[in-house]
Amino acid sequence: MEPFPDLPGFRYWPGALDPAAQADLLAEVQTTIAAAPFYRPVTPGGKPFSVRMTNLGRVGWVSDRAGYRYQPTHPETGAPWPAIPARLLDLWNTLTDGSAPPDACLVNLYRETARMGLHQDRDEADLTAPVVSVSLGDTALFRIGAAEGGPTRSIRLASGDVCALTGASRLARHGIDRLLVGSSKLLGDGGRINLTLRRAT
Ligand code: MD3
Ligand code: FE
């Protein structure tokens, strides 16, 4: 569950969700985000992300020319984000035993050429609160290394895999190099959805 001694606090449960649980979760997320369509954020420098995004929860992570932040409404529709489904809150409770509940769930959609450069997640108020990530659909080549820099390693995140970033790994540098296109049939149109549960405020 803590597979890498050089990344203390990185917890990984391959296959945590069986295929039926993956399909149920995906269906609920798709129904829920009908009210909060995927959109393509831009970096503060104005460059569009290749990943499309939406959010669930009291606040959601957004990026635009004004910077990165959490806000209570969808940047294009102005509507509040839909609630985080109970099954995701249950998963958080099971895996983080007793950590205060998440108030944000970023939903990332990767089509075949989408990627995410190496970065740290530091827009949350309490950087000691864990992050929980759930992968659905095509396998991704995930890259992660220590907060201080130095070597990185590549990990395949497949559909149904869950990881939690706690302790020192919470500030790890990480990104998505690419998808293994066609590796899963879960998403009808192909690609990958990643859900990250966070305590943002
Ligand atoms: C390591 N998402 O949304 S999930 C992100 O697959 C993000 O969409 C990737 O990086 C994705 O910020 C990676 C795994 C993950 C999520 C959060 C982390 C790894 C993390 C926070 C700290 C360290
Ligand atoms: Fe991240």
Side-chain angles (χ1 to χ4, degrees), residues 108 110 119 121 133 165 169-170 174 176 192 194 198:
N108 290 329
Y110 295 78
H119 66 278
D121 290 13
S133 150
L165 299 307
S169 77
R170 178 63 181 74
H174 62 279
I176 296 292
R192 169 176 186 264
N194 182 263
R198 303 144 188 274

Side-chain angles (χ1 to χ4, degrees), residues 32-55:
T32 306
I33 65 176
F38 284 113
Y39 71 100
R40 186 184 293 261
V42 297
T43 65
K47 185 177 185 286
F49 281 73
S50 58
V51 179
R52 290 196 279 158
M53 297 182 180
T54 188
N55 289 272

Side-chain angles (χ1 to χ4, degrees), residues 21-188:
Q22 294 167 39
D24 289 351
L25 174 59
L26 177 65
E28 185 165 24
V29 167
Q30 285 174 326
T31 303
T32 306
I33 65 176
F38 284 113
Y39 71 100
R40 186 184 293 261
V42 297
T43 65
K47 185 177 185 286
F49 281 73
S50 58
V51 179
R52 290 196 279 158
M53 297 182 180
T54 188
N55 289 272
L56 307 172
R58 202 175 57 70
V59 291
W61 187 86
V62 301
S63 173
D64 60 20
R65 286 215 169 251
Y68 305 139
R69 67 193 173 277
Y70 284 90
Q71 69 176 38
T73 54
H74 190 292
E76 292 184 350
T77 70
W81 305 105
I84 301 174
R87 70 179 85 233
L88 285 171
L89 300 175
D90 291 347
L91 184 70
W92 171 279
N93 285 334
T94 304
L95 298 183
T96 71
D97 47 38
S99 189
D103 54 9
C105 177
L106 176 61
V107 185
N108 290 329
L109 173 64
Y110 295 78
R111 296 299 190 197
E112 48 269 78
T113 59
R115 54 183 293 282
M116 190 178 286
L118 269 191
H119 66 278
Q120 292 175 291
D121 290 13
R122 38 190 336 146
D123 300 320
E124 299 76 28
D126 177 3
L127 294 175
T128 69
V131 176
V132 170
S133 150
V134 182
S135 293
L136 295 171
D138 283 344
T139 297
L141 297 182
F142 171 63
R143 183 164 295 284
I144 184 167
E148 302 73 33
T152 60
R153 65 169 75 239
S154 176
I155 298 169
R156 286 178 182 221
L157 291 180
S159 195
D161 291 358
V162 174
C163 55
L165 299 307
T166 70
S169 77
R170 178 63 181 74
L171 285 175
R173 294 171 197 278
H174 62 279
I176 296 292
D177 289 342
R178 65 182 176 89
L179 297 195
L180 302 184
V181 174
S183 50
S184 165
K185 295 250 170 281
L186 186 70
L187 276 68

